[in-house]
């Protein structure tokens, strides 16, 4: 009897997690998996922004598709419609805050002109490389994943983190990083202990 009660309790807990969990898709696979032009464009984006795989491209494409669909749906409403005013301003504020639109282009028509490359350019990985904190895009990804980078006072280890315009000037090395004010890395400490001074050895 106790085993039955325990099984029922376990099933109930699993069902509650299943119902209340967040299972929304973050990416969507292409309808035509072997379309040459799309494959070439995706490989170009992967190489240009130092991405891990094409799923990162698909994730941004889905985000952009949702933004465009929302903008198109709002454009069908009257300009004085309360939903268009409220949701439209929220969408435009978000785009301006992320640096996807200029201040003088706060209109829904310009949202439809945003491209995947515009969002990729706002990723933390891209901005770390552009600010010369890393030697390459791949080096930037490694630094971020190994917790060497912070945005303001928050350490960020997500390469796909979208940086806001006001946060861009606060991208720095973390306080615990040997590239910043943190203590030297393992190799340099070992060389200093041996009297070698450390030189330009790579830190961990």
């Amino acid at each position: 009897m106790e085993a039955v009660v325990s099984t029922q309790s376990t099933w109930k807990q699993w069902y509650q997690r299943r119902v209340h969990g967040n299972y929304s898709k973050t990416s969507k696979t292409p309808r035509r998996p072997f379309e040459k032009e799309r494959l070439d464009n995706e490989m170009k984006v992967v190489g240009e922004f130092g991405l891990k795989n094409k799923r990162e491209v698909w994730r941004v494409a889905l985000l952009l598709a949702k933004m465009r669909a929302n903008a198109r749906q709002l454009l069908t409403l009257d300009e004085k419609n309360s939903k268009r005013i409220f949701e439209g301003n929220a969408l435009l504020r978000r785009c301006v805050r992320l640096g996807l639109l200029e201040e003088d282009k706060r209109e829904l028509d310009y949202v439809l002109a945003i491209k995947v490359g515009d969002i990729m350019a706002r990723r933390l990985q891209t901005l770390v490389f552009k600010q010369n904190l890393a030697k390459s895009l791949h080096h930037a990804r490694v630094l971020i994943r190994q917790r060497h980078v912070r945005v303001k006072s928050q350490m960020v280890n997500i390469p796909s983190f979208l940086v806001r315009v006001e946060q861009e000037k606060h991208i720095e090395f973390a306080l615990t990083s040997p590239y910043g004010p943190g203590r030297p890395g393992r190799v340099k400490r070992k060389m200093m202990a041996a009297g070698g001074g450390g030189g330009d050895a790579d830190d961990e």
Side-chain angles (χ1 to χ4, degrees):
M1 184 65 181
E2 293 181 357
V4 173
V5 173
S6 176
T7 303
Q8 291 177 346
S9 175
T10 304
W11 170 258
K12 185 177 181 181
Q13 292 175 357
W14 177 86
Y15 179 76
Q16 289 176 344
R17 289 199 301 270
R18 178 75 177 174
V19 170
H20 299 292
N22 182 9
Y23 290 92
S24 60
K25 293 183 102 177
T26 58
S27 64
K28 186 177 181 181
T29 54
R31 288 183 180 179
R32 299 171 183 169
F34 303 110
E35 189 178 5
K36 184 178 185 304
E37 183 179 355
R38 182 190 52 77
L39 290 172
D40 292 340
N41 291 334
E42 287 177 352
M43 287 303 297
K44 182 179 179 181
V45 173
V46 169
E48 183 180 355
F49 296 99
L51 306 181
K52 178 182 178 183
N53 50 40
K54 289 186 179 180
R55 188 175 298 277
E56 294 193 311
V57 181
W58 300 340
R59 185 168 61 231
V60 172
L62 180 61
L63 171 64
L64 183 57
K66 290 181 178 180
M67 290 172 58
R68 285 175 175 170
N70 192 12
R72 278 195 298 266
Q73 191 268 335
L74 293 174
L75 283 170
T76 60
L77 303 176
D78 186 73
E79 291 186 0
K80 296 182 180 179
N81 188 288
S82 59
K83 180 178 180 180
R84 174 169 175 172
I85 295 174
F86 182 77
E87 295 187 8
N89 288 337
L91 178 60
L92 292 173
R93 269 199 314 271
R94 182 186 180 195
C95 291
V96 171
R97 191 183 302 127
L98 289 175
L100 303 176
L101 291 178
E102 300 292 337
E103 280 287 349
D104 58 345
K105 295 183 179 180
R106 293 177 67 106
E107 295 183 13
L108 292 174
D109 293 323
Y110 290 106
V111 176
L112 302 177
I114 298 176
K115 299 179 181 179
V116 171
D118 298 330
I119 299 179
M120 291 293 184
R122 300 303 306 171
R123 287 163 47 98
L124 179 61
Q125 178 182 355
T126 307
L127 294 176
V128 166
F129 172 64
K130 284 185 176 180
Q131 294 188 11
N132 296 322
L133 297 177
K135 300 176 183 178
S136 66
L137 284 166
H138 299 288
H139 185 215
R141 188 181 188 93
V142 171
L143 290 177
I144 295 169
R145 289 301 297 161
Q146 293 183 355
R147 305 165 70 91
H148 288 293
V149 178
R150 62 173 173 150
V151 180
K152 289 189 175 182
S153 60
Q154 179 67 44
M155 189 278 300
V156 182
N157 65 341
I158 307 297
S160 60
F161 176 80
L162 294 180
V163 181
R164 297 179 180 179
V165 175
E166 68 270 13
Q167 294 175 332
E168 189 171 349
K169 59 185 178 181
H170 298 291
I171 299 176
E172 301 172 324
F173 285 120
L175 296 176
T176 56
S177 170
Y179 296 102
R183 71 170 186 166
R186 179 180 60 84
V187 175
K188 190 171 183 179
R189 292 200 309 270
K190 185 176 180 180
M191 296 184 69
M192 290 172 65
D200 296 330
D202 291 334
D203 298 326
E204 286 190 355

